[in-house]
Amino acid sequence: MQDGSAPAVSADEKISGSREKGLNRVLEILEFLHTTQRAIGIGDLAKGVNAPRSTTYTLVRSLVDAGLLEMAGDGNRVYFGKKLYLYGMDYVRGNDLLRRGRQEVDNLSRETGETSELCMLQSGRYTIVHSSPGNRPFRISSATGLQIPLPWTASGRLLLAGFERARIEGMVSQDDLVLPDGRKLLLNDFIADIARAQTTGYCVTSGLVDAYTKCLAVPVFSVPGKVEATMCLVVPIDTSEERTGNLIGLLRDRAARLSIAG
């Protein structure tokens, strides 16, 4: 335009922009509920996603009507609905690696008595996609869907194997380098750990998430050189070197099954 004014926005463009904004709000709501891991009031949900209460209420009502969310407790709180669970089961049935990986993890837990996990990258975070508890009298904290900063985990060092430094720096914040007990890891040390894990083909970390456990992890490859997932065992920190070595060998055998068949 000659006068320098902004071009007119068509009705279709306005509708498209409104729909895109609404979709983004829906994704923010689902991500917030996933992060909080509990039913939450509409007011708190609106604050959590930084949206007007009226807008949040309208979107929640639509999602409830669709079965994606459900009202909980006194009817003033909301959480995931059964339809999302069914969609998730469809994903498991359609994802060969995840379906077989769940079976391997369950078998490994029964065989060793230790907590076993299958982990992947999701939105730049280490994510437990399946967990099977061991038979020890105390329970090690591990839950399917749990997301943990990559530097806190053995699996994180394997999942980032082969990534360029700039990409790793973009995925790891300064807060991610601060462990639960307040210690801070150095980024250079973390990157060196990644290179070491890639070379050895496994990773062991001790006392990072808590002072009582260590994690043993091995990679699962989708194609040669590309780590798609990890299998890991979470064991007491005083587990002997001999048993640790035997467990790593067992992990590598089971992960190779998934990699070869995948």
Side-chain angles (χ1 to χ4, degrees):
M1 299 180 67
Q2 297 298 321
D3 60 4
S5 59
V9 178
S10 69
D12 287 344
E13 289 175 325
K14 288 181 179 179
I15 292 173
S16 177
S18 178
R19 286 176 178 170
E20 182 177 353
K21 186 175 182 180
L23 176 59
N24 288 338
R25 288 292 192 198
V26 168
L27 296 176
E28 289 171 356
I29 288 172
L30 297 178
E31 183 64 25
F32 186 79
L33 290 174
H34 174 64
T35 301
T36 56
Q37 295 282 298
R38 61 182 175 82
I40 193 167
I42 302 297
D44 290 333
L45 180 59
K47 292 178 183 177
V49 299
N50 193 29
R53 185 186 179 98
S54 59
T55 300
T56 304
Y57 181 84
T58 299
L59 290 174
V60 166
R61 185 73 266 165
S62 296
L63 292 170
V64 169
D65 290 343
L68 299 176
L69 298 182
E70 292 179 359
M71 303 309 297
D74 55 9
N76 292 322
R77 293 176 296 131
V78 66
Y79 201 51
F80 294 126
K82 289 185 286 293
K83 187 169 285 188
L84 279 179
Y85 171 77
L86 296 174
Y87 288 163
M89 293 306 296
D90 290 339
Y91 176 73
V92 172
R93 285 189 290 269
N95 187 301
D96 185 60
L97 174 59
L98 182 54
R99 177 174 52 80
R100 292 183 296 110
R102 284 161 54 99
Q103 295 172 352
E104 290 288 358
V105 163
D106 291 342
N107 291 338
L108 189 62
S109 182
R110 284 192 294 268
E111 183 174 347
T112 64
E114 307 290 0
T115 296
S116 178
E117 300 172 348
L118 181 70
C119 306
M120 295 179 174
L121 277 178
Q122 170 62 35
S123 300
R125 306 284 281 185
Y126 157 92
T127 303
I128 301 173
V129 296
H130 185 64
S131 174
S132 182
N135 58 16
R136 292 185 176 278
F138 67 94
R139 283 299 178 94
I140 291 173
S141 179
S142 175
T144 299
L146 186 65
Q147 291 188 308
I148 301 172
L150 289 161
W152 297 11
T153 68
S155 288
R157 287 157 172 77
L158 290 165
L159 290 167
L160 296 181
F163 283 31
E164 294 181 355
R165 182 185 179 99
R167 188 176 178 189
I168 296 172
E169 291 176 345
M171 296 173 67
V172 176
S173 70
Q174 288 299 310
D175 288 342
D176 291 339
L177 293 168
V178 180
L179 298 173
D181 63 5
R183 287 179 295 155
K184 185 170 183 178
L185 302 175
L186 297 177
L187 181 61
N188 284 340
D189 290 346
F190 177 56
I191 292 176
D193 285 346
I194 294 170
R196 190 176 304 112
Q198 183 177 17
T199 299
T200 60
Y202 68 91
C203 186
V204 178
T205 55
S206 298
L208 295 187
V209 174
D210 62 57
Y212 310 103
T213 62
K214 62 180 176 181
C215 184
L216 327 175
V218 301
V220 175
F221 298 97
S222 55
V223 295
K226 177 175 173 51
V227 180
E228 186 70 20
T230 62
M231 287 187 69
C232 64
L233 289 168
V234 184
V235 302
I237 199 167
D238 59 358
T239 300
S240 70
E241 289 299 316
E242 180 181 5
R243 177 163 171 77
T244 296
N246 290 337
L247 291 175
I248 291 173
L250 190 58
L251 275 170
R252 298 181 83 162
D253 175 70
R254 301 305 163 81
R257 288 189 201 175
L258 292 178
S259 298
I260 294 171

